[in-house]
Amino acid sequence: MHRRLIAPGALAASLLLAIPASAASYSPGAPGIGDPYYPAYGNGGYDVSHYDLRLTYQPRTDRLEGTATLLARTTEDLSQFNLDFLLDVSEVRVNGAKASFTTSGEHELEITPKNPLPKDTAVTVVVRYSGVPSTKTAYGFTSWHRTPDGGVGANEPEAAWWWFPSNDHPLDKATYDVSVAVPDGSQAISNGTLQSTSSRAGWTRYNWRSNKPQATYLATLAVGRFDITTGTSESGIPIVNAYSKDLGDNYGAARASVERTGEVADWLAEYFGPYPFNALGGYVPNTNTGYALETQTRPFYSPRQFASGTNVSVVVHELAHQWYGDSVSVAGWKDIWINEGFARYAQWLWSEHEGEGTAQEIADYTYASRPADDPFWAVAPGDPGAENQFHLAVYDRGALTLQALRNEIGDEAFFAVLKGWPRRHALGNATVGDFVKYAESVSGRPLAALFDTWLHQPSKPGTPAARAASIEPRAEKTPVRPKSWKKIAATNSVHDH
Ligand SMILES: [Zn+2]
């Protein structure tokens, strides 16, 4: 019943008769996008192209309020559809008309538009909302981190529910305008480029724009009292970094690490090709969370990452994700290796660059220092299971897989693969299987057996496999621990994403 298309008046009745579609073809969109690891994440029936978020945040009370405008396109005839969201909604409009809504499950906002939505049409959804994000939990946790001077939304695989309604899955990427008003003296940090600021009656509004497709979990918002530095990388990308004024003893080390962002991004571009976005940076809020996260164009770092001194390795990791994870995103969360294995391997390459141990030495040490009965080997990075999505094996065994690949196909083909992949799937999505096929096509070698051994078997690859991949299996003599080992391990002991 394409009622939305019908002009009011006498014509309506005859049009209704003329259109054969029946109400029966309209049904509710699925409450999940179809990811077996997280069945309720994302939603079915539509695709979002743009999020416009106009918000106000009060750091003193952690109260967030505002309006989200989503531009979407239907992929099915919809009588109803869901968004993923936790804050309190006061009004929803779909194509201008008030829609009814209700909540269900852990984080579902069910919206019933006044008129059903035909497949393949543009839809504008406006959601007015407010709430105190730090008081909201789903599955018993929160991704909104209260700080002494504000709050931070950053987590993986879910962070958006606490600050904007979304189709929360990497398969549905979109562009963003994030506009946040905060009391004078505080700053609002988000992704992309700061387009403008404006001040009125004691409040300052920050207008950020991400004009390249961005996964929902890579959108971030931080409000606090920050020192902001700006610059430009040698390759011409503008840089905005932000450091909480309240980092205490970690302030110097945090700044000495994150200020290397431009240099590190240019260095990574030699391996991965041109930087995929038009903004760079990083931010360090005063949070006690243990992880860092590759939030697009502007990674989030925890002060704890710098508690032992400078840590450029974690900057390398999060910036490597801008190619491997952000520009080329997972198609499903089981594909997490194509994010973490490569970001870890970038740290190995950085170690080599810094003269603190070659990738081969780190691979040999990783292999030799864990006996076959170490539970580490029971996790297969190629499909680790939701409960092991961020297991150390996804990182370390994931990078070991890349060293095995490098030794199998040689440096020339290996580095051609590393550089070609981000170009081939730029700003899109891909699977582990896609990567295996790509490596085979570039190298001209059958690689299914190698990837099966290193990526998919829930056991330690045996000595023959290790020898074949030139990973040195010395049972009695553990290889010398590379100098960078502690730094890379420290990065991980606080669970970097
Ligand atoms: Zn990571």
Side-chain angles (χ1 to χ4, degrees):
M1 303 211 311
H2 298 242
R3 262 182 283 166
R4 201 176 63 79
L5 301 175
I6 294 164
L11 204 54
S14 60
L15 270 172
L16 268 174
L17 293 172
I19 293 170
S22 72
S25 71
Y26 289 84
S27 54
I33 208 166
D35 191 313
Y37 278 20
Y38 303 99
Y41 287 25
N43 304 289
Y46 65 95
D47 189 84
V48 180
S49 59
H50 184 72
Y51 292 90
D52 182 280
L53 311 176
R54 190 171 174 85
L55 309 173
T56 300
Y57 180 77
Q58 172 54 264
R60 195 166 41 76
T61 57
D62 192 38
R63 185 177 167 81
L64 181 71
E65 60 182 50
T67 303
T69 303
L70 282 60
L71 306 182
R73 197 158 187 95
T74 52
T75 56
E76 301 165 16
D77 287 338
L78 289 175
S79 59
Q80 181 190 306
F81 64 92
N82 285 16
L83 292 170
D84 301 299
F85 198 40
L86 290 173
L87 297 186
D88 308 319
V89 173
S90 57
E91 184 180 279
V92 178
R93 285 180 181 266
V94 178
N95 294 330
K98 271 194 185 179
S100 61
F101 59 90
T102 185
T103 55
S104 68
E106 290 279 339
H107 50 80
E108 300 292 329
L109 175 64
E110 292 181 10
I111 297 169
T112 307
K114 189 162 177 245
N115 303 309
L117 306 170
K119 179 181 174 173
D120 202 26
T121 53
V123 180
T124 303
V125 184
V126 177
V127 180
R128 291 182 196 283
Y129 60 93
S130 62
V132 178
S134 59
T135 64
K136 304 290 185 184
T137 59
Y139 309 104
F141 71 90
T142 177
S143 294
W144 184 266
H145 313 293
R146 199 73 167 101
T147 60
D149 55 357
V152 182
N155 205 349
E156 183 182 7
E158 63 294 280
W161 312 340
W162 285 265
W163 67 284
F164 67 98
S166 74
N167 188 20
D168 192 25
H169 193 277
L171 273 179
D172 191 354
K173 296 190 189 190
T175 54
Y176 288 71
D177 276 311
V178 177
S179 171
V180 186
V182 295
D184 287 350
S186 296
Q187 290 84 31
I189 307 298
S190 189
N191 313 84
T193 307
L194 183 63
Q195 300 292 102
S196 61
T197 60
S198 61
S199 286
R200 194 171 65 87
W203 290 75
T204 304
R205 180 168 287 282
Y206 291 79
N207 300 303
W208 294 92
R209 171 167 290 177
S210 294
N211 63 358
K212 297 273 173 74
Q214 174 174 292
T216 43
Y217 82 98
L218 297 171
T220 192
L221 172 64
V223 176
R225 289 165 44 77
F226 290 98
D227 288 330
I228 293 179
T229 66
T230 60
T232 307
S233 74
E234 216 166 59
S235 55
I237 311 290
I239 304 169
V240 178
N241 297 320
Y243 308 91
S244 166
K245 292 176 186 292
D246 198 21
L247 295 180
D249 285 352
N250 296 326
Y251 186 93
R255 193 157 164 165
S257 307
V258 177
E259 287 298 304
R260 304 275 298 272
T261 290
E263 173 200 342
V264 169
D266 286 343
W267 176 80
L268 285 166
E270 292 172 25
Y271 290 99
F272 299 158
Y275 180 72
F277 305 116
N278 57 2
L280 265 172
Y283 73 93
V284 192
N286 181 21
T287 169
N288 197 33
T289 50
Y291 52 85
L293 184 67
E294 61 270 23
T295 39
Q296 193 156 306
T297 70
R298 191 153 293 109
F300 154 76
Y301 301 98
S302 160
R304 282 168 56 185
Q305 244 94 38
F306 310 106
S308 303
T310 52
N311 187 351
V312 181
S313 191
V314 71
V315 175
V316 170
H317 182 105
E318 304 311 335
L319 290 178
H321 276 309
Q322 302 304 311
W323 288 262
Y324 282 89
D326 293 15
S327 174
V328 185
S329 296
V330 296
W333 285 113
K334 74 175 174 52
D335 300 310
I336 190 66
W337 170 71
I338 59 177
N339 293 13
E340 301 304 346
F342 294 77
R344 172 65 93 233
Y345 197 75
Q347 291 179 276
W348 292 12
L349 292 172
W350 179 259
S351 166
E352 195 163 324
H353 172 71
E354 294 288 282
E356 295 184 336
T358 65
Q360 180 72 50
E361 286 165 349
I362 303 172
D364 289 347
Y365 185 78
T366 301
Y367 182 86
S369 61
R370 292 185 179 277
D373 60 358
D374 188 323
F376 171 90
W377 298 109
V379 175
D383 186 356
E387 68 285 3
N388 288 320
Q389 194 187 340
F390 299 107
H391 192 283
L392 189 60
V394 176
Y395 296 73
D396 284 354
R397 185 175 166 181
L400 191 51
T401 301
L402 290 173
Q403 187 64 30
L405 173 67
R406 180 177 173 179
N407 292 338
E408 173 76 20
I409 67 178
D411 275 11
E412 198 185 336
F414 176 74
F415 288 110
V417 169
L418 275 196
K419 193 176 275 190
W421 173 259
R423 188 175 62 236
R424 183 173 183 106
H425 295 283
L427 307 174
N429 299 84
T431 66
V432 171
D434 292 333
F435 183 83
V436 172
K437 283 193 208 111
Y438 182 70
E440 286 183 328
S441 75
V442 171
S443 67
R445 304 271 278 272
L447 297 167
L450 177 138
F451 281 109
D452 184 63
T453 299
W454 292 92
L455 221 43
H456 291 295
Q457 291 303 317
S459 54
K460 183 173 182 175
T463 301
R467 286 233 167 89
S470 305
I471 308 296
E472 196 55 49
R474 284 172 284 189
E476 288 134 42
K477 199 173 140 214
T478 299
V480 176
R481 194 171 78 172
K483 267 194 208 153
S484 60
W485 183 261
K486 223 174 127 186
K487 217 176 293 176
I488 294 173
T491 297
N492 220 89
S493 68
V494 286
H495 191 65
D496 64 303
H497 289 322

